[in-house]
């Protein structure tokens, strides 16, 4: 399998030339739609209601509808650079996109559809993505990057746990699946961020690259893995609250030290950099809030989790989509001025979603609605600015 020549490439619809094109565009649009619908439901004035329980629908779709589509789009694009082989395109990519799209439509339906049918279609997306990712990686013997294949499989298992909780009407099981998925996505963010941020920062600020401290990288990632495994296998019920708090606190401190070495203060003039740094900082902040929760402080599971999801996942996804979309369409890594406002909007969404309820619990609903509006503004800007970029051929004439 070789990189497609230009003549063959021109026969492929632009949106199906690389996975980031349809999946970034659709997932960003869906991020706006799903969050707007969620805010509408919270106002109590919505004339639409999904057949699925609204809490299940919201948590599931933001993780497995929005987040996993971006992860798949990123991995299935990056593997072309890793392997030198042609990434999924054309009909295989179309199949993947259609599975994702059909699942989203079925999840939105106000009609009570057979849950088994909906769950099977929804659960099919990540295994298909894993297969499309594994094939060229194995062909190129890029075993270092094969790690991402079982990761997609474990994400599928977390999705399955959520569906099992829905079937059994067990909200604790639903929450277990969604939180496990978030901790796993945080692990991906930490791994990918640790790989690319030192290089991105050095190149973007024209400063020497920060060389890794191997002990710090390994110990930081080890604590994040421990957090995931303890939660996934429900080991925290056998652990004293203090031990769980210490684990979260240690993960927070080591991750904070790791990202602090990258010198965020050098990046303020470069939106594509400071947006990534701020999102990465939400990881140690979220874990610090979890540590405080297990110490008995007035921090809810939801607030700690939304630090990771809105600030961490949302912020890093928006920044990475903006950067990858420019780089893989042959453009200079210079964002539209409005994207600075978009990055700031998502950061402020995290502040509203987490800080306001901490300070003024009585403002919880207002804080969530304001955060939803800011989130929609941020991802809406991406759709408006990047629609033409993602639907147009590369400006340098290269395939992709």
């Amino acid at each position: 399998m070789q990189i497609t020549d230009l003549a063959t490439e021109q026969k492929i619809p632009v949106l199906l030339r690389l996975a980031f094109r349809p999946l970034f565009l659709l997932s960003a649009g869906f991020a706006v739609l799903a969050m707007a619908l969620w805010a509408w439901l919270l106002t109590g004035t919505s004339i639409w209601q999904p057949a699925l329980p609204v809490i299940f629908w919201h948590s599931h779709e933001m993780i497995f509808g929005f987040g996993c589509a971006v992860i798949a789009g990123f991995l299935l694009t990056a593997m072309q650079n890793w392997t030198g082989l042609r990434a999924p395109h054309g009909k295989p990519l179309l199949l993947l996109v259609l599975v994702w799209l059909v699942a989203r439509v079925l999840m939105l339906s106000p009609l009570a559809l057979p849950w088994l049918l909906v769950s099977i279609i929804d659960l099919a997306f990540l295994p298909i993505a894993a297969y499309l990712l594994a094939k060229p990686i194995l062909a190129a013997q890029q075993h270092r990057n094969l790690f991402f294949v079982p990761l997609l499989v474990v994400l599928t298992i977390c999705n399955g746990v959520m569906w099992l909780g829905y079937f059994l009407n067990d909200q604790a099981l639903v929450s277990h699946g969604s939180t496990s998925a978030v901790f796993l996505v945080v692990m991906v963010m930490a791994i990918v961020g640790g790989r690319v941020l030192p290089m991105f920062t050095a190149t973007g600020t024209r400063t020497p690259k920060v060389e890794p401290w191997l002990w710090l990288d390994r110990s930081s990632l080890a604590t994040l893995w421990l957090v995931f495994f303890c939660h996934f296998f429900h080991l925290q019920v056998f652990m004293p609250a203090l031990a769980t708090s210490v684990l979260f606190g240690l993960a927070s401190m080591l991750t904070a030290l790791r990202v602090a070495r990258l010198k965020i203060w050098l990046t303020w003039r470069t939106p594509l950099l400071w947006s990534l740094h701020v999102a990465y900082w939400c990881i140690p902040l979220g874990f610090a809030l979890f540590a405080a929760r297990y110490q008995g402080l007035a921090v809810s599971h939801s607030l700690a989790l939304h630090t990771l999801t809105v600030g961490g996942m949302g912020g890093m996804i928006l920044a990475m989509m903006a950067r990858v979309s420019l780089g893989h369409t042959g453009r200079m890594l210079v964002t539209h001025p409005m994207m600075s406002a978009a990055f700031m909007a998502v950061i402020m969404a995290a502040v509203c979603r987490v800080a306001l309820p901490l300070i003024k619990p009585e403002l919880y609903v207002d804080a969530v609605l304001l955060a939803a509006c800011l989130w929609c503004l941020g991802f809406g800007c991406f759709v408006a600015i990047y629609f033409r970029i993602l639907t147009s051929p590369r400006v340098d004439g290269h395939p992709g």
Side-chain angles (χ1 to χ4, degrees):
M1 183 170 53
Q2 301 297 325
I3 300 298
T4 311
D5 61 68
L6 188 57
T8 304
E9 186 78 5
Q10 290 175 343
K11 298 177 183 178
I12 305 171
V14 174
L15 268 177
L16 297 178
R17 292 182 183 178
L18 273 178
F20 79 95
R21 291 181 178 273
L23 291 176
F24 283 8
L25 186 58
L26 287 170
S27 60
F30 182 70
V32 176
L33 174 64
M35 193 61 73
L37 290 174
W38 173 242
W40 194 16
L41 286 168
L42 289 178
T43 64
T45 62
S46 174
I47 59 174
W48 163 85
Q49 180 131 353
L52 296 164
V54 292
I55 297 294
F56 174 88
W57 174 82
H58 171 67
S59 59
H60 181 279
E61 290 302 88
M62 296 314 296
I63 298 170
F64 296 106
F66 162 65
C68 286
V70 177
I71 291 171
F74 173 79
L75 292 176
L76 292 174
T77 299
M79 54 77 53
Q80 184 162 290
N81 290 342
W82 300 338
T83 65
L85 302 177
R86 187 64 165 103
H89 60 281
K91 292 180 180 179
L93 179 56
L94 177 61
L95 172 64
L96 181 70
V97 171
L98 286 177
V99 168
W100 180 86
L101 195 57
V102 170
R104 305 289 70 78
V105 171
L106 294 178
M107 295 284 291
L108 279 168
S109 174
L111 303 175
L113 301 172
W115 76 270
L116 187 59
L117 171 65
V118 178
S119 63
I120 288 173
I121 295 174
D122 175 62
L123 287 165
F125 175 75
L126 287 173
I128 294 173
Y131 170 77
L132 294 175
L133 181 65
K135 192 175 179 182
I137 289 178
L138 289 172
Q141 298 184 344
Q142 287 277 339
H143 298 134
R144 176 172 179 258
N145 294 311
L146 199 60
F147 153 80
F148 292 104
V149 175
L151 183 142
L152 293 179
V153 174
V154 177
L155 272 174
T156 305
I157 295 172
C158 294
N159 192 2
V161 170
M162 281 198 76
W163 277 108
L164 181 61
Y166 165 74
F167 172 69
L168 297 176
N169 195 27
D170 185 342
Q171 182 55 41
L173 198 56
V174 169
S175 177
H176 182 73
S178 61
T179 303
S180 296
V182 169
F183 288 153
L184 192 57
V185 172
V186 166
M187 173 59 63
V188 177
M189 290 166 52
I191 292 172
V192 173
R195 285 188 186 183
V196 302
L197 264 183
M199 178 184 63
F200 287 176
T201 303
T203 303
T205 61
R206 297 181 181 179
T207 56
K209 180 183 174 183
V210 174
E211 295 301 322
W213 290 350
L214 195 57
W215 70 267
L216 178 61
D217 290 355
R218 288 178 175 175
S219 57
S220 172
L221 293 178
T223 56
L224 295 179
W225 274 118
L226 278 174
V227 166
F228 168 73
F229 279 119
C230 284
H231 188 272
F232 185 74
F233 292 107
H234 218 50
L235 300 181
Q236 72 271 20
V237 299
F238 304 107
M239 298 168 57
L242 178 60
T244 306
S245 178
V246 168
L247 175 58
F248 275 106
L250 187 59
S252 174
M253 288 188 293
L254 291 172
T255 306
L257 178 59
R258 193 181 183 206
V259 68
R261 296 187 65 245
L262 301 180
K263 304 174 183 177
I264 188 174
W265 56 89
L266 298 175
T267 69
W268 296 124
R269 295 184 179 181
T270 312
L272 281 178
L273 286 178
W274 62 252
S275 54
L276 285 170
H277 279 256
V278 172
Y280 207 139
W281 269 105
C282 287
I283 298 176
L285 178 58
F287 278 78
L289 291 175
F290 270 109
R293 175 178 178 270
Y294 280 101
Q295 282 285 2
L297 300 181
V299 178
S300 69
H301 174 90
S302 176
L303 291 182
L305 193 72
H306 279 84
T307 305
L308 299 175
T309 54
V310 181
M313 289 172 56
M316 188 166 288
I317 281 173
L318 185 61
M320 287 298 288
M321 288 198 305
R323 186 183 188 95
V324 169
S325 297
L326 293 174
H328 282 276
T329 56
R331 290 170 169 81
M332 298 290 291
L333 296 178
V334 179
T335 58
H336 190 284
M338 281 300 297
M339 283 307 297
S340 295
F343 297 144
M344 187 58 68
V346 173
I347 293 168
M348 292 308 299
V351 172
C352 291
R353 181 61 182 81
V354 177
L356 280 183
L358 273 175
I359 299 169
K360 290 275 189 178
E362 64 272 18
L363 295 178
Y364 177 81
V365 174
D366 293 332
V368 172
L369 291 175
L370 180 56
C373 291
L374 289 166
W375 174 280
C376 291
L377 175 62
F379 282 93
C381 285
F382 177 86
V383 174
I385 293 166
Y386 280 82
F387 180 85
R388 182 181 60 83
I389 293 172
L390 293 171
T391 57
S392 302
R394 287 181 62 111
V395 295
D396 56 11
H398 293 169

